[in-house]
Amino acid sequence: MSNDVTDGAQADDKADALPLTTLGLIGAVARAMTEHQAAVIAPKLHAPKDLLVAEFLERKQSDLIVEVGGEEIGRYKVNLSRDRFEIDDEAAFDAYAEDKGEYDVLIVRKPSFEKTVLQHAQRDPKTGAIFDSRSGEVIPGLKFVPGGKPTGTVTWTWKTFKRQPVGKATLIAALRSGELDEVLRETPELLQRAQPGTRD
């Protein structure tokens, strides 16, 4: 891994020595592979998303640890919404913004005012009233939206050690050895023989 930069520089030197027609062919192959990846392989990146989100809604399972040969290589995590404030009554909040002189010439709220007010909004746990934490003034037209709901997306994180993606290296090794061939039989486009560079 430490030779990646050096290897890349050597590859560039070799590429410079190739004829233009050969470089054109290499570019076309790379383009075809990139388009193939976008069309066929990229959709598989978040294959567990829908089922993992459903598991979270039913059982509150937010992580899926992925292992190869009993060794963790990474994990998917359900992304959750955060608590936030949002405009509930446009007219009331517009009147509030106008009273504060925070209207643009087009008679719309200044986006910077809205952003600042939402950042400083707090909620009184007893009364439910929403107020400005800087002044204590009640802010009309806002509502509190609790977070903790799935956003519909998941995040992948490689298992790392000393900031290196060791999980990725473990997965590539398993692909090269054929260990995952049986698992990937239903998705032949992901088998090592279909992936340039996965078998030396």
Side-chain angles (χ1 to χ4, degrees), residues 127-155:
T127 65
I130 298 171
F131 62 93
D132 188 320
S133 61
R134 298 167 299 176
S135 66
E137 183 178 13
V138 172
I139 306 170
L142 292 188
K143 70 176 178 181
F144 177 72
V145 181
K149 295 180 176 67
T151 63
T153 61
V154 296
T155 300

Side-chain angles (χ1 to χ4, degrees), residues 60-136:
K60 298 299 182 201
Q61 176 184 341
S62 64
D63 289 290
L64 172 64
I65 296 173
V66 181
E67 296 180 341
V68 171
E71 184 177 339
E72 180 182 342
I73 61 161
R75 65 180 60 210
Y76 284 94
K77 182 169 182 59
V78 176
N79 296 325
L80 303 178
S81 63
R82 295 181 177 173
D83 296 348
R84 69 185 189 280
F85 292 99
E86 64 181 34
I87 309 303
D88 184 44
D89 183 336
E90 291 286 337
F93 196 74
D94 282 347
Y96 178 66
E98 186 176 11
D99 184 52
K100 295 292 182 188
E102 295 291 344
Y103 252 67
D104 282 329
V105 177
L106 297 174
I107 314 298
V108 294
R109 290 188 304 270
K110 292 180 181 176
S112 59
F113 171 73
E114 181 175 327
K115 181 179 177 182
T116 301
V117 168
L118 293 176
Q119 284 176 341
H120 292 283
Q122 291 289 330
R123 183 173 54 129
D124 184 321
K126 292 180 183 174
T127 65
I130 298 171
F131 62 93
D132 188 320
S133 61
R134 298 167 299 176
S135 66

